[in-house]
Amino acid sequence: MSTVEDAPSAAVEPEVLVRTEGALGRITLNRPRALNALNVGMIRAVHAALDAWRDDSDVEIVLIDGAGERGLCAGGDVRALREQILAGHSEDTVEFFREEYAMNAAIAEYPKPIVAIADGITMGGGIGVAGHAAIRVVTERSQLAMPEVRIGFTPDVGGTWLLAHAPGRLGEYLALTAGTMDGSDALYAGFADFFVPSERLDALRDALAHRADPTGPSEIVMLFDETPDPSPLAAARAWIDEAFAAGTVPEIIARLRATPAPEPGPRAPEGGVGREGVGSAPTPAAIADLLDSLAPTALVVTLDAVREARAMGSVREALAGEYRRVLWFVHHHPDLVEGIRAQLVDKDRNPRWDPQTLADLAPDAADAARDYVPPVPLWG
């Protein structure tokens, strides 16, 4: 992974901008050409800033946002992850996940209010930055998702905790379909707290930095908050809950195929199919087709992970469950490398999953990932 030390400092801006404005500590992910995708240097910089401000009485609020107009963060640098795995550098992979999850836990447990602005694309590792903040802001441009199953992987960065606590069975739906939420969906699903139009973000930042009274950050953000359009996910809850409450992925697919297409509403949920799916109004049958095309192992491991997280007591505990599964994929299953190849390297969109179908999976296919003992403990 490249860092700013690879080139003369005069020619390259830091990949994370850290500064204070009034009583506000500001962290801006600053890799806009890569949609602010995280590398280990960026993760360390964010964590170091949080550590520095933890006991600094001059910093009362922390703000995290992303440079550029396209998004907060598109996730981790998975191309680099694939290269590490293929090169046999598993120790670098372990280090990356340990440091990322430590940062996620620091955000979730931070003693001062953190405001995260999830404007634009906020996916995967971006959810780990924004989703655990105390005050989470979305806009009309927001696109939030945990898209890991599309590359034969499983949600992490504490995403299973957020998914598990979404209303009804939306967590299973969003995890298994890699569904993309707009701002209204993110509010409904519990991934966000406030909706602020993007044109008002600069005024919000200024108010957080230079407020003239002791009003708390939530009250300040509320001054800019507006009501978005109704959530498409909320409108689809009935059939989503019925189908995704099934005990196994094949049973979920069977229920979807038995579900009549819902009556058209003002808007249909866009999240389940993504940009390469069947359009803006997917039916239960279209979602079933999507699930049949995704990595069977990733689907069953992910379903197990979300349901395990629902019984856990903290983000930190959920991260430990994710760490086991993630490193099992890294060390013991080919679908992750194959999925990154098909989606992001060769871009042929024709992954060769192993096994190729759900029918070929053993009934206990999720157990090995759940029970995996990583070579290096996550904490400590």
Coordinates of all heavy atoms in Angstrom, one line a residue, residues 169-230:
R169 N -35.9 -7.6 9.7 CA -34.8 -8.4 9.0 C -34.1 -7.6 7.9 O -33.5 -8.2 7.0 CB -35.5 -9.7 8.4 CG -36.1 -10.6 9.4 CD -35.1 -11.2 10.4 NE -35.7 -12.0 11.4 CZ -35.0 -12.9 12.2 NH1 -33.7 -13.0 12.0 NH2 -35.7 -13.6 13.1
L170 N -34.1 -6.3 8.1 CA -33.4 -5.5 7.1 C -31.9 -5.8 7.2 O -31.2 -5.6 6.1 CB -33.6 -4.0 7.4 CG -35.0 -3.5 7.1 CD1 -35.1 -2.0 7.3 CD2 -35.5 -3.9 5.7
G171 N -31.4 -6.2 8.3 CA -30.0 -6.5 8.4 C -29.6 -7.6 7.5 O -28.6 -7.6 6.8
E172 N -30.4 -8.7 7.6 CA -30.1 -9.8 6.7 C -30.2 -9.4 5.2 O -29.4 -9.8 4.4 CB -31.0 -11.0 7.0 CG -30.7 -11.8 8.3 CD -31.5 -11.3 9.5 OE1 -31.8 -10.1 9.5 OE2 -31.7 -12.1 10.5
Y173 N -31.3 -8.7 4.9 CA -31.5 -8.2 3.6 C -30.3 -7.4 3.0 O -29.8 -7.7 1.9 CB -32.8 -7.4 3.5 CG -33.1 -6.8 2.2 CD1 -33.6 -7.5 1.1 CD2 -32.8 -5.4 2.0 CE1 -33.9 -6.9 -0.1 CE2 -33.0 -4.8 0.8 CZ -33.6 -5.5 -0.3 OH -33.9 -4.9 -1.4
L174 N -29.9 -6.4 3.8 CA -28.8 -5.5 3.3 C -27.5 -6.3 3.3 O -26.7 -6.0 2.4 CB -28.7 -4.3 4.3 CG -29.9 -3.4 4.2 CD1 -29.8 -2.4 5.4 CD2 -29.9 -2.6 2.9
A175 N -27.3 -7.2 4.2 CA -26.0 -7.9 4.2 C -25.9 -8.9 3.0 O -24.9 -9.0 2.3 CB -25.8 -8.7 5.5
L176 N -27.0 -9.7 2.8 CA -26.9 -10.7 1.8 C -27.1 -10.2 0.4 O -26.6 -10.8 -0.6 CB -28.0 -11.7 2.0 CG -27.9 -12.5 3.3 CD1 -29.1 -13.5 3.4 CD2 -26.6 -13.3 3.4
T177 N -27.7 -9.0 0.2 CA -27.8 -8.4 -1.1 C -26.8 -7.4 -1.4 O -26.8 -6.9 -2.6 CB -29.2 -7.8 -1.3 OG1 -29.4 -6.7 -0.4 CG2 -30.3 -8.8 -1.1
A178 N -26.0 -7.0 -0.4 CA -25.1 -5.9 -0.6 C -25.8 -4.6 -0.9 O -25.4 -3.7 -1.7 CB -24.0 -6.1 -1.6
G179 N -27.1 -4.5 -0.4 CA -28.0 -3.4 -0.8 C -27.4 -2.0 -0.5 O -26.8 -1.8 0.6
T180 N -27.7 -1.1 -1.4 CA -27.3 0.3 -1.2 C -28.5 1.1 -0.6 O -29.6 1.1 -1.2 CB -26.9 0.9 -2.5 OG1 -25.7 0.2 -3.0 CG2 -26.4 2.4 -2.3
M181 N -28.2 1.8 0.4 CA -29.2 2.7 1.1 C -29.0 4.1 0.7 O -27.9 4.6 0.6 CB -29.1 2.6 2.6 CG -29.4 1.3 3.2 SD -29.0 1.2 5.0 CE -27.2 0.9 4.9
D182 N -30.1 4.8 0.4 CA -30.0 6.3 0.2 C -30.1 6.9 1.7 O -30.2 6.2 2.7 CB -31.1 6.8 -0.7 CG -32.5 6.6 -0.3 OD1 -32.7 6.2 0.9 OD2 -33.4 6.9 -1.1
G183 N -30.2 8.2 1.7 CA -30.2 8.9 3.0 C -31.4 8.5 3.9 O -31.3 8.2 5.1
S184 N -32.6 8.4 3.3 CA -33.8 8.1 4.0 C -33.7 6.6 4.5 O -34.1 6.3 5.6 CB -35.0 8.3 3.2 OG -35.0 7.5 2.0
D185 N -33.2 5.7 3.7 CA -33.0 4.3 4.1 C -32.1 4.2 5.3 O -32.3 3.4 6.2 CB -32.5 3.5 2.9 CG -33.5 3.2 1.9 OD1 -34.7 3.2 2.2 OD2 -33.2 2.9 0.7
A186 N -30.9 5.0 5.2 CA -29.9 4.9 6.2 C -30.5 5.4 7.6 O -30.2 4.8 8.6 CB -28.7 5.7 5.9
L187 N -31.3 6.4 7.5 CA -32.0 6.8 8.8 C -32.9 5.8 9.3 O -32.9 5.4 10.5 CB -32.8 8.1 8.5 CG -32.0 9.4 8.3 CD1 -32.9 10.5 7.6 CD2 -31.4 9.9 9.6
Y188 N -33.7 5.2 8.4 CA -34.7 4.1 8.8 C -34.0 2.9 9.4 O -34.4 2.3 10.4 CB -35.6 3.8 7.7 CG -36.6 2.8 8.0 CD1 -37.7 3.1 8.8 CD2 -36.5 1.4 7.6 CE1 -38.7 2.2 9.1 CE2 -37.5 0.5 7.9 CZ -38.6 0.9 8.7 OH -39.5 0.0 9.1
A189 N -32.9 2.5 8.7 CA -32.2 1.3 9.1 C -31.3 1.5 10.3 O -30.7 0.5 10.8 CB -31.4 0.8 8.0
G190 N -31.1 2.7 10.8 CA -30.3 2.9 12.0 C -28.8 3.1 11.7 O -28.0 3.1 12.6
F191 N -28.5 3.5 10.4 CA -27.1 3.8 10.1 C -26.8 5.3 10.1 O -25.7 5.7 9.8 CB -26.8 3.2 8.7 CG -26.5 1.8 8.6 CD1 -27.5 0.8 8.9 CD2 -25.3 1.3 8.3 CE1 -27.3 -0.5 8.8 CE2 -25.0 -0.1 8.2 CZ -26.0 -1.0 8.5
A192 N -27.8 6.1 10.4 CA -27.7 7.5 10.4 C -28.7 8.2 11.3 O -29.6 7.5 11.7 CB -27.8 8.1 9.0
D193 N -28.4 9.4 11.7 CA -29.2 10.1 12.7 C -29.9 11.4 12.1 O -31.0 11.8 12.6 CB -28.4 10.5 13.9 CG -27.7 9.3 14.5 OD1 -28.3 8.4 15.0 OD2 -26.4 9.3 14.4
F194 N -29.2 12.1 11.2 CA -29.7 13.3 10.7 C -29.6 13.4 9.2 O -28.6 12.8 8.6 CB -29.0 14.5 11.3 CG -29.2 14.6 12.8 CD1 -28.2 14.2 13.7 CD2 -30.3 15.2 13.3 CE1 -28.4 14.3 15.0 CE2 -30.5 15.3 14.7 CZ -29.5 14.9 15.5
F195 N -30.5 14.1 8.5 CA -30.4 14.3 7.1 C -30.2 15.8 6.8 O -31.1 16.7 7.2 CB -31.7 13.9 6.4 CG -31.8 14.0 4.9 CD1 -31.4 13.0 4.1 CD2 -32.2 15.2 4.3 CE1 -31.4 13.1 2.7 CE2 -32.2 15.4 2.9 CZ -31.8 14.3 2.1
V196 N -29.0 16.2 6.3 CA -28.7 17.6 6.0 C -28.4 17.7 4.5 O -27.5 17.0 4.0 CB -27.5 18.0 6.8 CG1 -27.1 19.4 6.5 CG2 -27.7 17.9 8.3
P197 N -29.1 18.6 3.8 CA -28.8 18.8 2.4 C -27.3 19.1 2.2 O -26.8 19.9 3.0 CB -29.7 19.9 2.0 CG -30.8 19.9 3.0 CD -30.2 19.4 4.3
S198 N -26.7 18.6 1.1 CA -25.3 18.8 0.9 C -24.9 20.3 0.8 O -23.8 20.7 1.2 CB -24.9 18.1 -0.4 OG -25.6 18.5 -1.5
E199 N -25.8 21.1 0.3 CA -25.5 22.5 0.2 C -25.4 23.2 1.5 O -24.9 24.4 1.6 CB -26.6 23.2 -0.7 CG -28.0 23.2 0.0 CD -29.1 23.8 -0.9 OE1 -28.9 23.9 -2.1 OE2 -30.2 24.1 -0.4
R200 N -25.8 22.6 2.6 CA -25.7 23.2 3.9 C -24.6 22.6 4.8 O -24.4 23.0 5.9 CB -27.0 23.0 4.6 CG -28.3 23.5 3.9 CD -29.5 23.5 4.8 NE -29.4 24.6 5.8 CZ -30.3 24.7 6.8 NH1 -31.3 23.8 7.0 NH2 -30.2 25.7 7.6
L201 N -23.8 21.7 4.2 CA -22.7 21.1 5.0 C -21.7 22.1 5.4 O -21.2 22.0 6.5 CB -22.1 19.9 4.2 CG -23.0 18.7 3.9 CD1 -22.2 17.7 3.1 CD2 -23.4 18.1 5.3
D202 N -21.3 23.0 4.5 CA -20.2 24.0 5.0 C -20.7 24.8 6.1 O -20.0 25.1 7.1 CB -19.9 24.9 3.8 CG -19.0 24.1 2.8 OD1 -18.4 23.1 3.1 OD2 -18.9 24.6 1.6
A203 N -22.0 25.2 6.1 CA -22.5 26.0 7.2 C -22.6 25.1 8.5 O -22.3 25.7 9.6 CB -23.9 26.5 6.8
L204 N -22.9 23.9 8.3 CA -22.9 23.0 9.5 C -21.5 22.9 10.1 O -21.3 23.0 11.3 CB -23.4 21.6 9.1 CG -23.2 20.5 10.1 CD1 -24.0 20.8 11.4 CD2 -23.7 19.1 9.6
R205 N -20.5 22.7 9.2 CA -19.1 22.6 9.7 C -18.7 23.9 10.5 O -18.1 23.8 11.5 CB -18.1 22.3 8.6 CG -18.3 21.0 7.9 CD -17.3 20.8 6.8 NE -17.4 19.6 6.0 CZ -18.0 19.4 4.8 NH1 -18.5 20.5 4.2 NH2 -18.1 18.3 4.2
D206 N -19.1 25.0 9.9 CA -18.7 26.3 10.5 C -19.4 26.4 11.9 O -18.8 26.9 12.9 CB -19.1 27.4 9.6 CG -18.7 28.8 10.1 OD1 -17.5 29.0 10.2 OD2 -19.6 29.6 10.5
A207 N -20.7 26.0 12.0 CA -21.4 26.1 13.2 C -20.8 25.2 14.3 O -20.7 25.6 15.5 CB -22.9 25.7 13.0
L208 N -20.4 24.0 13.9 CA -19.8 23.1 14.9 C -18.5 23.7 15.4 O -18.1 23.5 16.6 CB -19.5 21.8 14.2 CG -20.8 20.9 14.0 CD1 -20.4 19.7 13.1 CD2 -21.4 20.4 15.3
A209 N -17.7 24.4 14.6 CA -16.4 24.9 14.9 C -16.5 26.2 15.7 O -15.7 26.4 16.7 CB -15.5 25.2 13.7
H210 N -17.5 27.0 15.4 CA -17.5 28.4 16.0 C -18.8 28.8 16.6 O -19.2 29.9 16.7 CB -17.2 29.4 14.8 CG -15.9 29.1 14.1 ND1 -14.7 29.2 14.7 CD2 -15.7 28.7 12.8 CE1 -13.7 28.9 13.8 NE2 -14.3 28.6 12.7
R211 N -19.5 27.8 17.2 CA -20.8 28.1 17.9 C -20.5 29.1 19.0 O -19.4 29.0 19.7 CB -21.4 26.8 18.3 CG -20.7 26.1 19.5 CD -21.1 24.7 19.6 NE -20.6 24.0 20.8 CZ -19.4 23.6 21.0 NH1 -18.5 23.8 20.0 NH2 -19.0 23.1 22.1
A212 N -21.4 29.9 19.3 CA -21.2 31.0 20.3 C -21.8 30.7 21.6 O -21.8 31.5 22.5 CB -21.7 32.3 19.7
D213 N -22.4 29.5 21.7 CA -23.0 29.1 23.0 C -22.7 27.7 23.3 O -22.1 27.0 22.5 CB -24.6 29.3 22.9 CG -25.2 28.5 21.7 OD1 -25.0 27.3 21.7 OD2 -25.8 29.1 20.9
P214 N -23.0 27.2 24.5 CA -22.6 25.8 24.9 C -23.6 24.7 24.4 O -23.6 23.6 24.9 CB -22.7 25.9 26.4 CG -23.7 26.9 26.7 CD -23.6 28.0 25.6
T215 N -24.4 25.1 23.4 CA -25.3 24.1 22.8 C -24.5 22.8 22.3 O -23.4 23.0 21.8 CB -26.0 24.7 21.6 OG1 -26.7 25.8 22.0 CG2 -27.0 23.7 21.0
G216 N -25.0 21.7 22.6 CA -24.4 20.4 22.2 C -24.4 20.2 20.7 O -25.2 20.8 20.0
P217 N -23.5 19.3 20.2 CA -23.5 19.1 18.8 C -24.7 18.5 18.2 O -25.1 18.9 17.0 CB -22.3 18.1 18.6 CG -22.1 17.5 20.0 CD -22.5 18.5 21.0
S218 N -25.5 17.7 18.9 CA -26.7 17.2 18.3 C -27.7 18.3 18.1 O -28.4 18.3 17.0 CB -27.4 16.2 19.3 OG -26.6 15.0 19.4
E219 N -27.8 19.3 19.0 CA -28.7 20.4 18.8 C -28.3 21.3 17.7 O -29.1 21.8 16.9 CB -28.8 21.2 20.1 CG -29.5 20.5 21.3 CD -28.7 19.4 21.9 OE1 -27.5 19.4 21.7 OE2 -29.4 18.6 22.6
I220 N -26.9 21.4 17.5 CA -26.4 22.2 16.3 C -26.8 21.5 15.0 O -27.3 22.2 14.1 CB -24.9 22.4 16.5 CG1 -24.6 23.3 17.7 CG2 -24.3 23.0 15.2 CD1 -23.1 23.4 18.0
V221 N -26.6 20.2 14.9 CA -26.9 19.5 13.7 C -28.4 19.6 13.4 O -28.8 19.7 12.3 CB -26.4 18.0 13.8 CG1 -26.8 17.3 12.5 CG2 -24.9 18.0 14.0
M222 N -29.2 19.5 14.5 CA -30.6 19.5 14.3 C -31.1 20.8 13.7 O -32.1 20.8 13.0 CB -31.3 19.4 15.7 CG -32.7 18.9 15.7 SD -33.3 18.6 17.3 CE -32.2 17.3 17.9
L223 N -30.3 21.9 13.8 CA -30.7 23.2 13.2 C -30.7 23.1 11.6 O -31.3 23.8 10.9 CB -29.8 24.3 13.6 CG -29.9 24.7 15.1 CD1 -28.8 25.7 15.5 CD2 -31.3 25.2 15.5
F224 N -29.9 22.1 11.1 CA -29.7 21.9 9.7 C -30.4 20.7 9.2 O -30.5 20.5 8.0 CB -28.2 21.8 9.4 CG -27.4 23.0 9.7 CD1 -26.9 23.1 11.0 CD2 -27.1 24.0 8.8 CE1 -26.1 24.3 11.4 CE2 -26.4 25.1 9.2 CZ -25.9 25.3 10.4
D225 N -31.1 20.0 10.1 CA -31.7 18.7 9.7 C -33.0 19.0 8.9 O -33.8 19.9 9.3 CB -32.0 18.0 11.0 CG -32.6 16.6 10.8 OD1 -32.2 15.9 9.9 OD2 -33.6 16.3 11.5
E226 N -33.3 18.2 7.9 CA -34.5 18.2 7.2 C -35.1 16.8 7.1 O -34.4 15.8 7.3 CB -34.3 18.8 5.8 CG -33.8 20.3 5.8 CD -33.8 20.9 4.4 OE1 -34.2 20.3 3.5 OE2 -33.3 22.1 4.4
T227 N -36.3 16.8 6.7 CA -37.0 15.5 6.5 C -36.8 15.0 5.1 O -37.3 15.6 4.1 CB -38.5 15.6 6.8 OG1 -38.7 16.1 8.2 CG2 -39.2 14.3 6.7
P228 N -36.2 13.8 4.9 CA -36.1 13.3 3.5 C -37.3 12.6 3.0 O -38.3 12.5 3.7 CB -35.0 12.2 3.7 CG -35.2 11.7 5.1 CD -35.6 12.9 5.9
D229 N -37.3 12.2 1.8 CA -38.4 11.4 1.2 C -38.6 10.1 2.0 O -37.7 9.7 2.7 CB -38.1 11.0 -0.2 CG -38.1 12.2 -1.2 OD1 -38.8 13.2 -0.8 OD2 -37.4 12.2 -2.2
P230 N -39.8 9.5 2.0 CA -40.0 8.3 2.7 C -39.0 7.2 2.3 O -38.5 7.1 1.1 CB -41.4 7.9 2.3 CG -42.1 9.2 1.9 CD -41.0 10.0 1.3

